[in-house]
């Protein structure tokens, strides 16, 4: 009989997450089975639950999983049963972006991560009565005790690291840190501003500190987030409800920041991120804006000052390189992302979603029974 496990299933727009029994249907030779230990929750789960970002329902969401490899297909060579792994997004490995080493911009990204099925239309799991259940969300659907993933989206990590903490490295934290390391290439001694101090923005703050930026500014409107930003590496914080953020940034950096990252997705703040730059500075957009959003940019400022505004997905990372590096930085005490998280048991997953949406919890992590 196929293996059964508990999973949080979304059956209708807006939820709730319902804990149900699901079953493994089939594992292919290039796939592996992972016992999920814990899975982080982020906004992408909510917008998929609410179908702001349309995915087929019923579906098992969850895309920041970590766990232990239980079984591998005949063609899998990079991991063996017992290995500790972090799950990340799945890429196709044969488009030009993948060949050029930029899997986050895979031309088949949506097909592999948001279609709710394998590329050939099949599923690796099913409901307890054999009914159809969509899976493969970010190549994993990890709000579950078990997942069938592809060898490519499973990253082996060192066994002395706390496995239940590591899942968010697969998406939200990789996004903030990767944007700093790979896309912006924040330099030692430079200045960096994070507009938005959620999990993504604060990951950028920690990464900028780790790489040796010497002026690190966090802008937010929630005092507790600004306090946390200071604890993890920000040299300055600005509550933009109380202060003129742009004027303060120019004052602190003596003429503008070298680098900025927006994780709020608010067009007016993205325009400010560009204005906050010094000549030849770069600003990155990583927050998800409402579909159709537009930004007004001062083109003379952009041209005369040789500024750049770029968009970044998943930190433009190669996860097999970045995720183990972030684990090493964490273990060395230089990337304290444990300060961002709060753990919830699977049967409290709806409370985790509510706390995240209210801003009470920065990064919920769901522990599997
Ligand atoms: P979050 O909601 O925790 O963070 C957003 C922060 O912005 C909050 O701290 C909030 O207080 C702050 N904010 C809101 N309005 C503000 C204002 N007017 N001025 C200053 N600060 C303000 O979310 P997160 O988990 O950090 O994710 C951020 C965004 O990144 C989301 O939109 C998410 O969907 C997106 N995301 C993108 C990628 C990618 O690959 N590009 C990956 C993961 C997440
Ligand atoms: Zn590709």
């Amino acid at each position: 009989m196929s293996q059964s496990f508990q999973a949080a299933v979304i059956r209708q727009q807006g939820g709730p997450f319902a804990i149900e029994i699901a079953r493994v249907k089939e594992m292919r030779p290039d796939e592996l089975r992972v016992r999920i230990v814990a899975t982080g929750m982020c906004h992408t789960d909510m917008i998929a639950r609410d179908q702001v970002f349309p995915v087929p329902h019923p579906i098992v969401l969850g895309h920041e999983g970590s766990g232990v490899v239980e079984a591998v297909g005949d063609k899998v060579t990079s991991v063996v049963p017992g290995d500790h792994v972090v799950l990340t997004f799945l890429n196709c490995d044969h488009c030009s972006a993948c060949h050029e080493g930029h899997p986050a911009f895979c031309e088949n990204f949506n097909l592999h991560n948001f279609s709710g099925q394998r590329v050939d239309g099949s599923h690796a799991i099913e409901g307890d009565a054999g009914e159809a259940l969509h899976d493969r969300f970010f190549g994993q659907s990890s709000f579950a005790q078990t997942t069938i993933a592809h060898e490519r989206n499973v990253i082996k990590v060192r066994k002395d690291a706390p496995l239940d903490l590591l899942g968010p490295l697969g998406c939200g934290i990789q996004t903030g840190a990767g944007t700093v390391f790979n896309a912006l290439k924040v330099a030692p001694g430079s200045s960096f501003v994070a507009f938005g101090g959620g999990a993504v923005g604060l990951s950028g703050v920690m990464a900028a500190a780790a790489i040796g930026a010497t002026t690190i500014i966090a802008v937010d409107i929630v005092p507790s987030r600004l306090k946390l930003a200071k604890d993890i590496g920000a040299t300055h914080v600005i509550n933009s409800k109380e202060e003129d953020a742009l004027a303060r940034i120019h004052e602190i950096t003596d003429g503008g920041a070298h680098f900025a990252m927006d994780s709020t997705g608010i067009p007016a703040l993205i325009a400010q991120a560009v204005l906050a730059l010094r000549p030849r500075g770069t600003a990155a957009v990583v927050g998800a804006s409402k579909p159709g959003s537009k930004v007004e940019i001062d083109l003379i400022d952009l041209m005369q000052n040789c500024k750049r505004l770029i968009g970044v997905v998943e930190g433009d990372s190669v996860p097999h390189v970045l995720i183990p590096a972030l684990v090493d930085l964490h273990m060395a005490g230089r990337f304290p992302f444990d300060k961002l998280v709060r753990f919830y048991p699977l049967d409290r997953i709806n409370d985790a979603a509510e706390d995240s949406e209210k801003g009470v919890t920065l990064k919920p992590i769901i522990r599997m029974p």
Side-chain angles (χ1 to χ4, degrees):
M1 215 186 87
S2 65
Q3 195 195 7
S4 61
F5 57 91
Q6 289 183 49
V9 180
I10 293 291
R11 293 203 167 268
Q12 61 199 22
Q13 185 174 9
F17 292 95
I19 310 302
E20 299 182 7
I21 300 296
R23 283 189 305 185
V24 173
K25 197 173 170 188
E26 178 207 13
M27 188 177 89
R28 301 247 168 113
D30 54 1
E31 294 177 338
L32 42 88
R33 192 175 78 229
V34 178
R35 176 175 63 79
I36 299 292
V37 169
T39 302
M41 180 180 266
C42 109
H43 290 255
T44 314
D45 294 305
M46 314 300 184
I47 60 179
R49 177 196 64 186
D50 299 343
Q51 287 193 326
V52 174
F53 193 93
V55 295
H57 291 171
I59 190 168
V60 178
L61 299 173
H63 67 288
E64 293 184 340
S66 63
V68 181
V69 176
E70 278 188 330
V72 299
D74 290 344
K75 288 188 182 164
V76 172
T77 56
S78 59
V79 288
V80 296
D83 279 346
H84 289 191
V85 294
V86 169
L87 293 137
T88 188
F89 61 88
L90 182 58
N91 68 314
C92 81
D93 213 28
H94 57 69
C95 71
S96 60
C98 284
H99 284 313
E100 285 164 13
H102 298 278
F105 297 100
C106 173
E107 290 161 25
N108 300 301
F109 194 93
N110 285 356
L111 201 58
H112 280 286
N113 294 287
F114 298 119
S115 65
Q117 56 193 19
R118 292 194 190 93
V119 173
D120 66 5
S122 65
H123 298 281
I125 63 171
E126 61 188 2
D128 197 29
E131 77 276 24
L133 208 48
H134 292 283
D135 62 345
R136 267 312 204 261
F137 186 63
F138 262 76
Q140 56 184 283
S141 291
S142 52
F143 286 148
Q145 291 176 299
T146 297
T147 185
I148 304 294
H150 194 281
E151 182 178 17
R152 267 201 308 282
N153 69 317
V154 165
I155 315 296
K156 187 173 162 178
V157 291
R158 54 195 265 190
K159 281 192 174 164
D160 59 340
L163 189 55
D164 56 355
L165 176 69
L166 303 184
L169 297 178
C171 179
I173 292 181
Q174 165 165 258
T175 294
T179 297
V180 163
F181 294 148
N182 306 317
L184 291 173
K185 295 189 166 59
V186 169
S190 67
S191 46
F192 167 79
V193 187
F195 285 88
V200 172
L202 293 185
S203 300
V205 166
M206 286 184 287
I211 205 80
T214 43
T215 304
I216 302 171
I217 306 170
V219 182
D220 207 292
I221 49 177
V222 180
S224 59
R225 297 196 167 197
L226 294 171
K227 185 179 173 302
L228 184 57
K230 274 233 144 180
D231 291 345
I232 59 165
T235 56
H236 302 77
V237 295
I238 300 172
N239 185 333
S240 55
K241 253 189 190 165
E242 293 170 357
E243 289 184 277
D244 177 345
L246 203 51
R248 274 291 287 145
I249 292 165
H250 276 270
E251 187 186 334
I252 294 164
T253 57
D254 194 19
H258 293 95
F259 303 100
M261 178 178 84
D262 178 81
S263 61
T264 70
I266 300 170
L269 289 190
I270 295 167
Q272 276 203 14
V274 177
L275 291 171
L277 297 172
R278 69 196 308 112
R280 302 187 62 252
T282 306
V285 172
V286 303
S289 301
K290 290 197 187 101
S293 300
K294 304 226 171 8
V295 181
E296 268 190 43
I297 302 286
D298 182 334
L299 290 175
I300 298 287
D301 172 55
L302 191 78
M303 178 269 285
Q304 273 185 344
N305 294 313
C306 190
K307 293 182 177 181
R308 294 192 303 152
L309 177 63
I310 60 173
V312 189
V313 174
E314 296 292 328
D316 195 7
S317 307
V318 175
H320 284 87
V321 176
L322 183 67
I323 291 173
L326 292 177
V327 174
D328 284 347
L329 276 174
H330 175 70
M331 295 302 281
R334 296 170 59 195
F335 195 78
F337 74 101
D338 53 305
K339 294 192 174 156
L340 276 50
V341 316
R342 182 171 167 197
F343 290 97
Y344 296 77
L346 180 61
D347 60 10
R348 287 196 53 220
I349 187 169
N350 289 298
D351 297 336
E354 193 182 327
D355 286 356
S356 167
E357 286 177 313
K358 279 189 189 152
V360 176
T361 301
L362 218 123
K363 171 58 74 182
I365 296 183
I366 312 303
R367 274 202 182 108
M368 297 306 150

